[in-house]
Amino acid sequence: MKANEIRKMSVEQLNEKLTGLKKDLFYLRMQHATNQLDNPLKIQETKRDIARVMTVLRELQASDKQ
């Protein structure tokens, strides 16, 4: 997921995306623990997507305060 795609989303969409990504990360970690995960790099990609969404949410919150 690219930052440009994330910036086009509304706050509600970002919150939904964040919730979905956190669930995905949980399931990826469970698969990794049981040796069922084919691509361990998916965990790292999901963490980065979570960070991108959280960064954009924070930027939106900071711009609303000003």
Side-chain angles (χ1 to χ4, degrees):
M1 177 178 296
K2 303 225 177 210
N4 292 337
E5 298 171 6
I6 296 172
R7 291 185 197 285
K8 293 178 184 176
M9 296 178 165
S10 68
V11 175
E12 294 82 20
Q13 291 173 327
L14 288 171
N15 285 325
E16 290 175 13
K17 187 72 172 174
L18 184 61
T19 303
L21 286 169
K22 286 183 178 182
K23 286 181 184 178
D24 290 345
L25 182 60
F26 173 77
Y27 291 124
L28 287 171
R29 285 181 173 160
M30 291 298 290
Q31 288 178 351
H32 186 65
T34 59
N35 293 324
Q36 296 176 350
L37 186 61
D38 294 331
N39 187 3
L41 291 177
K42 291 291 287 178
I43 294 173
Q44 184 178 8
E45 292 172 8
T46 305
K47 284 182 180 180
R48 288 183 178 171
D49 286 341
I50 290 171
R52 285 185 187 108
V53 170
M54 291 177 73
T55 299
V56 172
L57 279 170
R58 180 68 183 127
E59 287 173 354
L60 291 172
Q61 288 174 352
S63 67
D64 288 342
K65 291 181 180 179
Q66 293 179 0

